[in-house]
Amino acid sequence: SVTLPQGLTVIPYEAFGWCPLIKEIKLPSSITHIGEKAFYGCKKLTEMRVPDGILTLEVATFEYCANLTKVVLPSKLEKIANYAFHNCKALKEIQIPETVTEIGIGAFQYCAGLTELTLPDGLQTIAESAFEGCSGLARLVIPDGVQSVGSNAFHSTNAQLCCSMGSRAAEVLSRRGYDFYTETWKLRYTFDSDKQVNGLRAERYLGSDAAVTLPEGTTLIGGSAFKDCAFITSVTLPEK
């Protein structure tokens, strides 16, 4: 167990990198910067509270902390940098503050222990492979205002990516080849040769109403859209 003294402001690059015996590190509130890979490979570390003075969680801060289960992030955090929690396979409890606008490349890649996660409404960027391999996630609400989703951001997650039809998030997810989910539909936007939205594909009906109305703007109906929906008595198609 390590307790750092009050008044310390900086934890430098790889300060505790590959310290496999450390189980606990207590950081003082005076800390304002934690360097890249500061706790990289601390395999016995189980919990961590990051001081409130930290605005950016730097590259690979907790990468390969195999037994890290809980992290408390600072309330004013703005960015979770590349690979910050990469391969933290035991991570189960983390709340991303509302102030976070960017989640970097591979930030939570292979965090298979995550079963629930809430993304902040102000999130703008979800980078490449950010949640790849988070196989424990069954459902993830993507804030409607998300402007950018990187390639493979949700590869091998199997999570339902939920957002509002017509939102920027729905469009960027579709551009990356992901379906998006509303309360009653699994959907995906289609694009023309100029990469402009030209339609909406209704992939699957998820509701329970017997009388179904397809979403406005639907141009294609997937081959399994109404599979196992013997209870449906009527389907209303969009006028245009």
Side-chain angles (χ1 to χ4, degrees), residues 66-145:
N67 288 297
L68 188 66
T69 60
K70 179 181 179 180
V71 176
V72 179
L73 295 176
S75 60
K76 295 181 181 180
L77 189 70
E78 297 173 356
K79 177 181 177 180
I80 299 175
N82 301 349
Y83 308 110
F85 296 100
H86 179 257
N87 252 300
C88 292
K89 295 182 179 181
L91 185 63
K92 293 182 179 180
E93 190 174 342
I94 187 167
Q95 184 173 349
I96 300 177
E98 282 297 318
T99 48
V100 170
T101 60
E102 180 179 350
I103 296 176
I105 296 170
F108 292 93
Q109 191 174 23
Y110 306 130
C111 290
L114 281 176
T115 56
E116 294 183 11
L117 188 66
T118 300
L119 300 180
D121 289 340
L123 186 63
Q124 298 289 302
T125 301
I126 300 173
E128 175 184 343
S129 299
F131 296 99
E132 181 177 358
C134 291
S135 54
L137 289 174
R139 184 176 185 271
L140 186 62
V141 176
I142 310 299
D144 286 344

Side-chain angles (χ1 to χ4, degrees), residues 59-213:
V59 172
T61 300
F62 295 103
E63 186 173 14
Y64 289 107
C65 290
N67 288 297
L68 188 66
T69 60
K70 179 181 179 180
V71 176
V72 179
L73 295 176
S75 60
K76 295 181 181 180
L77 189 70
E78 297 173 356
K79 177 181 177 180
I80 299 175
N82 301 349
Y83 308 110
F85 296 100
H86 179 257
N87 252 300
C88 292
K89 295 182 179 181
L91 185 63
K92 293 182 179 180
E93 190 174 342
I94 187 167
Q95 184 173 349
I96 300 177
E98 282 297 318
T99 48
V100 170
T101 60
E102 180 179 350
I103 296 176
I105 296 170
F108 292 93
Q109 191 174 23
Y110 306 130
C111 290
L114 281 176
T115 56
E116 294 183 11
L117 188 66
T118 300
L119 300 180
D121 289 340
L123 186 63
Q124 298 289 302
T125 301
I126 300 173
E128 175 184 343
S129 299
F131 296 99
E132 181 177 358
C134 291
S135 54
L137 289 174
R139 184 176 185 271
L140 186 62
V141 176
I142 310 299
D144 286 344
V146 165
Q147 298 296 306
S148 174
V149 172
S151 60
N152 296 316
F154 303 102
H155 183 67
S156 299
T157 65
N158 299 316
Q160 291 187 359
L161 306 176
C162 305
C163 60
S164 301
M165 194 174 70
S167 67
R168 174 64 177 169
E171 180 181 335
V172 296
L173 285 171
S174 297
R175 288 188 184 279
R176 286 299 182 188
Y178 294 109
D179 299 318
F180 65 93
Y181 290 74
T182 64
E183 289 185 3
T184 53
W185 287 96
K186 176 183 178 182
L187 303 163
R188 187 186 297 192
Y189 284 111
T190 59
F191 304 89
D192 61 22
S193 58
D194 295 322
K195 299 182 180 180
Q196 300 300 308
V197 175
N198 68 350
L200 178 67
R201 182 183 177 93
E203 298 282 4
R204 190 73 183 267
Y205 178 62
L206 305 173
S208 57
D209 293 339
V212 177
T213 299

Side-chain angles (χ1 to χ4, degrees), residues 6-24:
Q6 187 65 33
L8 186 69
T9 58
V10 175
I11 297 177
Y13 173 84
E14 279 193 344
F16 295 94
W18 292 113
C19 291
L21 300 180
I22 293 178
K23 295 181 179 180
E24 181 183 28

